[in-house]
Amino acid sequence: MEGFHWERAAAIVLAAGSGSRMKQSVKKQFIPVNHEPLFYYSLKAFSDLGIGGLILVTAGEDMELCRRLLKKYTFSSPVQIVEGGRERYHSVYQGLRQAAGYEYIFIHDGARPCLEQSVIEETALCAAKYGACAAAVPVKDTIKLVDGEGFAVETLERSRLWAMQTPQTFRYDIVKDAYDKMFESPMDEGKVTDDAMVVERYSSCPVKMAMGSYRNIKVTTPEDLTVVEKYMKEIYGDHEGDLK
Protein backbone atom coordinates (compact mmCIF):
# COMPACT_ATOMS: atom_id res chain seq x y z
CA MET A 1 0.00 0.00 0.00
CA GLU A 2 1.63 3.21 -1.19
CA GLY A 3 2.59 5.66 1.54
CA PHE A 4 2.61 3.15 4.40
CA HIS A 5 5.53 0.90 5.31
CA TRP A 6 4.11 -2.17 7.03
CA GLU A 7 7.49 -3.29 8.29
CA ARG A 8 7.68 -0.11 10.38
CA ALA A 9 4.39 -0.86 12.14
CA ALA A 10 3.39 -3.15 14.98
CA ALA A 11 0.01 -4.36 16.18
CA ILE A 12 -0.86 -4.66 19.85
CA VAL A 13 -3.58 -7.28 20.22
CA LEU A 14 -5.27 -7.20 23.62
CA ALA A 15 -6.25 -10.59 25.06
CA ALA A 16 -5.99 -10.01 28.80
CA GLY A 17 -9.67 -9.62 29.76
CA SER A 18 -11.57 -11.94 32.08
CA GLY A 19 -14.66 -12.17 29.87
CA SER A 20 -16.95 -12.52 32.88
CA ARG A 21 -20.09 -11.65 30.92
CA MET A 22 -19.57 -14.68 28.68
CA LYS A 23 -20.48 -16.97 31.62
CA GLN A 24 -18.11 -19.68 30.39
CA SER A 25 -15.24 -21.52 32.04
CA VAL A 26 -12.93 -20.48 29.19
CA LYS A 27 -11.96 -16.82 28.84
CA LYS A 28 -13.57 -15.38 25.73
CA GLN A 29 -10.29 -14.71 23.90
CA PHE A 30 -9.60 -18.47 23.97
CA ILE A 31 -13.06 -19.67 22.96
CA PRO A 32 -12.81 -21.66 19.68
CA VAL A 33 -14.66 -20.09 16.75
CA ASN A 34 -14.54 -22.15 13.55
CA HIS A 35 -11.93 -24.34 15.28
CA GLU A 36 -9.52 -21.53 16.23
CA PRO A 37 -9.26 -19.39 19.39
CA LEU A 38 -10.84 -15.97 19.09
CA PHE A 39 -7.58 -14.00 19.33
CA TYR A 40 -5.99 -15.95 16.44
CA TYR A 41 -7.97 -14.13 13.79
CA SER A 42 -6.69 -10.69 14.79
CA LEU A 43 -3.08 -11.86 14.64
CA LYS A 44 -3.73 -13.46 11.25
CA ALA A 45 -5.31 -10.32 9.78
CA PHE A 46 -2.30 -8.17 10.66
CA SER A 47 0.26 -10.82 9.77
CA ASP A 48 -1.24 -11.35 6.33
CA LEU A 49 -0.50 -7.69 5.56
CA GLY A 50 3.19 -8.16 6.42
CA ILE A 51 3.22 -6.02 9.54
CA GLY A 52 6.59 -5.64 11.26
CA GLY A 53 5.61 -7.12 14.60
CA LEU A 54 2.75 -8.57 16.64
CA ILE A 55 2.45 -7.98 20.37
CA LEU A 56 -0.07 -10.21 22.11
CA VAL A 57 -0.94 -8.87 25.56
CA THR A 58 -2.48 -11.38 27.93
CA ALA A 59 -2.86 -12.06 31.65
CA GLY A 60 0.16 -13.46 33.46
CA GLU A 61 -1.58 -16.75 34.20
CA ASP A 62 -2.43 -17.18 30.51
CA MET A 63 1.01 -16.57 29.00
CA GLU A 64 1.95 -20.25 28.91
CA LEU A 65 -1.39 -21.14 27.34
CA CYS A 66 -0.79 -18.54 24.63
CA ARG A 67 2.68 -19.90 23.94
CA ARG A 68 1.24 -23.39 23.59
CA LEU A 69 -1.57 -22.27 21.28
CA LEU A 70 0.72 -20.19 19.08
CA LYS A 71 2.95 -23.19 18.35
CA LYS A 72 0.21 -24.39 16.02
CA TYR A 73 0.48 -21.39 13.72
CA THR A 74 3.03 -19.87 11.39
CA PHE A 75 2.71 -16.11 11.03
CA SER A 76 4.75 -14.01 8.64
CA SER A 77 5.33 -11.49 11.46
CA PRO A 78 7.18 -12.19 14.72
CA VAL A 79 4.96 -12.48 17.80
CA GLN A 80 5.84 -11.28 21.30
CA ILE A 81 3.71 -12.31 24.28
CA VAL A 82 3.52 -9.61 26.94
CA GLU A 83 1.94 -9.69 30.39
CA GLY A 84 -0.91 -7.23 30.71
CA GLY A 85 -2.09 -5.16 33.63
CA ARG A 86 -5.10 -4.70 35.87
CA GLU A 87 -7.11 -2.55 33.43
CA ARG A 88 -7.20 -2.32 29.65
CA TYR A 89 -5.13 0.87 29.59
CA HIS A 90 -2.45 -0.79 31.73
CA SER A 91 -2.26 -3.59 29.16
CA VAL A 92 -2.01 -1.12 26.29
CA TYR A 93 0.82 0.67 28.07
CA GLN A 94 2.71 -2.58 28.55
CA GLY A 95 2.33 -3.25 24.84
CA LEU A 96 3.51 0.25 23.94
CA ARG A 97 6.64 -0.19 26.03
CA GLN A 98 7.49 -3.30 24.02
CA ALA A 99 6.82 -1.53 20.72
CA ALA A 100 9.58 1.08 20.96
CA GLY A 101 11.29 1.51 17.61
CA TYR A 102 8.20 1.15 15.46
CA GLU A 103 6.80 4.16 13.62
CA TYR A 104 3.10 3.24 13.75
CA ILE A 105 1.04 1.27 16.23
CA PHE A 106 -2.28 -0.50 15.74
CA ILE A 107 -4.14 -1.24 18.98
CA HIS A 108 -6.83 -3.89 18.56
CA ASP A 109 -9.18 -5.82 20.82
CA GLY A 110 -8.54 -9.53 20.50
CA ALA A 111 -12.27 -10.04 21.10
CA ARG A 112 -12.99 -8.46 17.68
CA PRO A 113 -12.14 -11.41 15.42
CA CYS A 114 -14.06 -10.21 12.34
CA LEU A 115 -11.31 -7.80 11.39
CA GLU A 116 -11.15 -7.19 7.66
CA GLN A 117 -7.92 -6.12 5.99
CA SER A 118 -9.70 -3.22 4.32
CA VAL A 119 -10.39 -1.74 7.77
CA ILE A 120 -6.75 -2.14 8.81
CA GLU A 121 -5.62 -0.48 5.59
CA GLU A 122 -8.06 2.41 6.04
CA THR A 123 -6.73 3.16 9.53
CA ALA A 124 -3.15 2.87 8.24
CA LEU A 125 -3.79 5.50 5.56
CA CYS A 126 -5.49 7.81 8.05
CA ALA A 127 -2.70 7.43 10.61
CA ALA A 128 -0.06 8.18 7.97
CA LYS A 129 -1.94 11.33 6.98
CA TYR A 130 -3.23 12.60 10.34
CA GLY A 131 -1.10 10.89 13.00
CA ALA A 132 -4.03 9.46 14.96
CA CYS A 133 -7.20 7.65 13.92
CA ALA A 134 -9.69 5.03 15.02
CA ALA A 135 -11.96 2.63 13.20
CA ALA A 136 -15.58 3.57 13.80
CA VAL A 137 -19.00 3.39 12.15
CA PRO A 138 -21.86 5.90 12.02
CA VAL A 139 -24.60 4.94 14.47
CA LYS A 140 -27.86 3.68 12.97
CA ASP A 141 -30.13 4.20 15.95
CA THR A 142 -31.52 7.34 17.54
CA ILE A 143 -29.44 8.09 20.65
CA LYS A 144 -30.97 9.70 23.74
CA LEU A 145 -29.10 11.45 26.53
CA VAL A 146 -30.80 10.56 29.83
CA ASP A 147 -30.63 11.81 33.39
CA GLY A 148 -29.70 9.78 36.47
CA GLU A 149 -33.21 8.40 36.75
CA GLY A 150 -33.45 7.24 33.13
CA PHE A 151 -35.56 10.05 31.72
CA ALA A 152 -34.73 11.46 28.28
CA VAL A 153 -33.00 14.83 28.44
CA GLU A 154 -31.91 15.32 24.87
CA THR A 155 -31.99 13.61 21.47
CA LEU A 156 -28.46 13.71 20.06
CA GLU A 157 -27.82 14.54 16.43
CA ARG A 158 -27.32 11.12 14.86
CA SER A 159 -25.38 12.39 11.83
CA ARG A 160 -22.49 13.36 14.12
CA LEU A 161 -22.38 10.18 16.23
CA TRP A 162 -19.96 7.33 15.56
CA ALA A 163 -19.61 4.01 17.39
CA MET A 164 -15.97 3.37 18.23
CA GLN A 165 -14.17 0.18 17.23
CA THR A 166 -10.60 -1.00 16.91
CA PRO A 167 -7.99 -0.94 15.50
CA GLN A 168 -7.08 2.49 16.74
CA THR A 169 -3.93 3.47 14.93
CA PHE A 170 -1.34 6.10 15.77
CA ARG A 171 2.13 7.33 15.15
CA TYR A 172 4.06 5.72 17.96
CA ASP A 173 5.43 8.96 19.39
CA ILE A 174 1.96 10.50 19.64
CA VAL A 175 0.26 7.65 21.47
CA LYS A 176 3.23 6.76 23.70
CA ASP A 177 3.67 10.39 24.80
CA ALA A 178 -0.06 10.67 25.53
CA TYR A 179 -0.01 7.52 27.67
CA ASP A 180 3.12 8.71 29.49
CA LYS A 181 1.35 11.94 30.38
CA MET A 182 -1.76 10.14 31.57
CA PHE A 183 0.22 7.96 33.95
CA GLU A 184 2.05 11.02 35.23
CA SER A 185 -1.36 12.54 36.09
CA PRO A 186 -3.44 9.52 37.14
CA MET A 187 -6.63 11.50 37.80
CA ASP A 188 -8.15 10.03 34.62
CA GLU A 189 -7.24 6.43 35.39
CA GLY A 190 -10.40 4.35 35.52
CA LYS A 191 -12.24 6.78 33.25
CA VAL A 192 -10.39 5.87 30.07
CA THR A 193 -12.51 3.78 27.71
CA ASP A 194 -10.32 3.72 24.60
CA ASP A 195 -6.96 4.83 23.25
CA ALA A 196 -8.43 7.66 21.21
CA MET A 197 -9.64 9.19 24.47
CA VAL A 198 -6.08 9.20 25.84
CA VAL A 199 -4.77 10.94 22.72
CA GLU A 200 -7.67 13.41 22.77
CA ARG A 201 -6.90 14.44 26.35
CA TYR A 202 -3.12 14.27 26.45
CA SER A 203 -1.98 15.41 23.03
CA SER A 204 -2.68 18.19 20.57
CA CYS A 205 -3.31 15.71 17.74
CA PRO A 206 -6.99 15.33 16.73
CA VAL A 207 -8.20 11.79 16.17
CA LYS A 208 -9.61 11.09 12.71
CA MET A 209 -12.50 8.65 12.32
CA ALA A 210 -11.68 5.91 9.80
CA MET A 211 -14.53 3.86 8.36
CA GLY A 212 -14.79 0.56 10.14
CA SER A 213 -17.21 -2.28 9.47
CA TYR A 214 -20.54 -3.25 11.02
CA ARG A 215 -19.18 -6.81 11.06
CA ASN A 216 -16.29 -5.75 13.30
CA ILE A 217 -18.21 -6.48 16.51
CA LYS A 218 -16.74 -7.16 19.93
CA VAL A 219 -17.61 -10.48 21.53
CA THR A 220 -19.09 -9.64 24.92
CA THR A 221 -21.98 -12.05 25.55
CA PRO A 222 -22.69 -15.65 24.47
CA GLU A 223 -25.19 -14.39 21.89
CA ASP A 224 -22.40 -12.58 20.06
CA LEU A 225 -20.71 -15.88 19.19
CA THR A 226 -23.50 -16.93 16.84
CA VAL A 227 -23.20 -13.66 14.94
CA VAL A 228 -19.40 -13.87 14.86
CA GLU A 229 -19.42 -17.41 13.49
CA LYS A 230 -21.59 -16.23 10.60
CA TYR A 231 -19.36 -13.23 9.88
CA MET A 232 -16.19 -15.31 10.15
CA LYS A 233 -17.42 -17.72 7.49
CA GLU A 234 -18.23 -14.77 5.23
CA ILE A 235 -14.70 -13.38 5.69
CA TYR A 236 -12.57 -16.55 5.81
CA GLY A 237 -14.80 -19.39 4.66
CA ASP A 238 -14.74 -22.68 6.56
CA HIS A 239 -11.41 -23.11 8.35
CA GLU A 240 -10.34 -26.70 8.77
CA GLY A 241 -8.46 -28.06 11.70
CA ASP A 242 -9.17 -28.47 15.39
CA LEU A 243 -7.76 -26.45 18.25
CA LYS A 244 -4.85 -28.30 19.83
Side-chain angles (χ1 to χ4, degrees), residues 153-170:
V153 173
E154 182 183 356
T155 301
L156 302 180
E157 186 179 343
R158 184 169 56 188
S159 63
R160 298 182 62 189
L161 298 175
W162 289 62
M164 302 303 291
Q165 301 181 342
T166 63
Q168 300 191 358
T169 309
F170 310 91

Side-chain angles (χ1 to χ4, degrees), residues 50-131:
I51 201 166
L54 297 166
I55 300 170
L56 180 65
V57 185
T58 192
E61 67 266 24
D62 295 325
M63 292 182 72
E64 183 55 38
L65 172 61
C66 287
R67 291 189 188 98
R68 190 165 67 249
L69 291 173
L70 287 174
K71 287 181 180 179
K72 178 181 176 181
Y73 309 111
T74 300
F75 296 108
S76 63
S77 309
V79 184
Q80 297 181 67
I81 302 174
V82 175
E83 182 174 354
R86 186 176 70 254
E87 303 291 345
R88 181 189 185 280
Y89 52 87
H90 293 121
S91 294
V92 172
Y93 195 53
Q94 291 298 98
L96 288 171
R97 293 173 67 182
Q98 292 297 316
Y102 288 102
E103 186 176 2
Y104 291 97
I105 298 296
F106 297 83
I107 303 172
H108 185 65
D109 295 325
R112 292 184 187 270
C114 302
L115 178 59
E116 297 165 73
Q117 290 187 353
S118 60
V119 173
I120 301 175
E121 291 172 340
E122 180 67 18
T123 68
L125 287 172
C126 284
K129 184 174 182 179
Y130 301 104

Side-chain angles (χ1 to χ4, degrees), residues 42 142 170 228:
S42 298
T142 296
F170 310 91
V228 161

Side-chain angles (χ1 to χ4, degrees), residues 9-238:
I12 297 171
V13 175
L14 302 170
S18 62
S20 57
R21 283 180 284 181
M22 290 298 295
K23 299 178 181 179
Q24 296 197 25
S25 58
V26 178
K27 293 181 181 180
K28 65 181 178 182
Q29 56 267 35
F30 304 120
I31 293 174
V33 175
N34 295 346
H35 310 293
E36 309 297 353
L38 211 62
F39 74 87
Y40 158 81
Y41 295 99
S42 298
L43 296 177
K44 173 178 170 55
F46 287 109
S47 177
D48 286 353
L49 284 168
I51 201 166
L54 297 166
I55 300 170
L56 180 65
V57 185
T58 192
E61 67 266 24
D62 295 325
M63 292 182 72
E64 183 55 38
L65 172 61
C66 287
R67 291 189 188 98
R68 190 165 67 249
L69 291 173
L70 287 174
K71 287 181 180 179
K72 178 181 176 181
Y73 309 111
T74 300
F75 296 108
S76 63
S77 309
V79 184
Q80 297 181 67
I81 302 174
V82 175
E83 182 174 354
R86 186 176 70 254
E87 303 291 345
R88 181 189 185 280
Y89 52 87
H90 293 121
S91 294
V92 172
Y93 195 53
Q94 291 298 98
L96 288 171
R97 293 173 67 182
Q98 292 297 316
Y102 288 102
E103 186 176 2
Y104 291 97
I105 298 296
F106 297 83
I107 303 172
H108 185 65
D109 295 325
R112 292 184 187 270
C114 302
L115 178 59
E116 297 165 73
Q117 290 187 353
S118 60
V119 173
I120 301 175
E121 291 172 340
E122 180 67 18
T123 68
L125 287 172
C126 284
K129 184 174 182 179
Y130 301 104
C133 75
V137 290
V139 301
K140 297 180 178 181
D141 300 318
T142 296
I143 305 296
K144 299 281 188 180
L145 181 67
V146 302
D147 63 19
E149 297 181 350
F151 291 96
V153 173
E154 182 183 356
T155 301
L156 302 180
E157 186 179 343
R158 184 169 56 188
S159 63
R160 298 182 62 189
L161 298 175
W162 289 62
M164 302 303 291
Q165 301 181 342
T166 63
Q168 300 191 358
T169 309
F170 310 91
R171 258 194 9 234
Y172 178 82
D173 60 320
I174 292 173
V175 67
K176 178 59 163 57
D177 183 64
Y179 263 92
D180 286 341
K181 288 178 178 176
M182 185 187 75
F183 280 106
E184 290 168 5
S185 306
M187 58 183 294
D188 278 344
E189 288 190 33
K191 301 177 183 178
V192 172
T193 55
D194 71 352
D195 312 296
M197 184 176 178
V198 178
V199 173
E200 289 162 22
R201 293 193 178 190
Y202 292 98
S203 84
S204 60
C205 183
V207 179
K208 175 71 172 176
M209 296 296 99
M211 184 58 68
S213 168
Y214 291 102
R215 296 197 293 194
N216 186 22
I217 68 170
K218 186 176 183 180
V219 174
T220 304
T221 65
E223 293 76 19
D224 296 330
L225 288 173
T226 301
V227 179
V228 161
E229 287 174 357
K230 174 180 179 294
Y231 287 162
M232 294 299 298
K233 288 180 180 179
E234 291 175 1
I235 295 169
Y236 290 106
D238 290 316

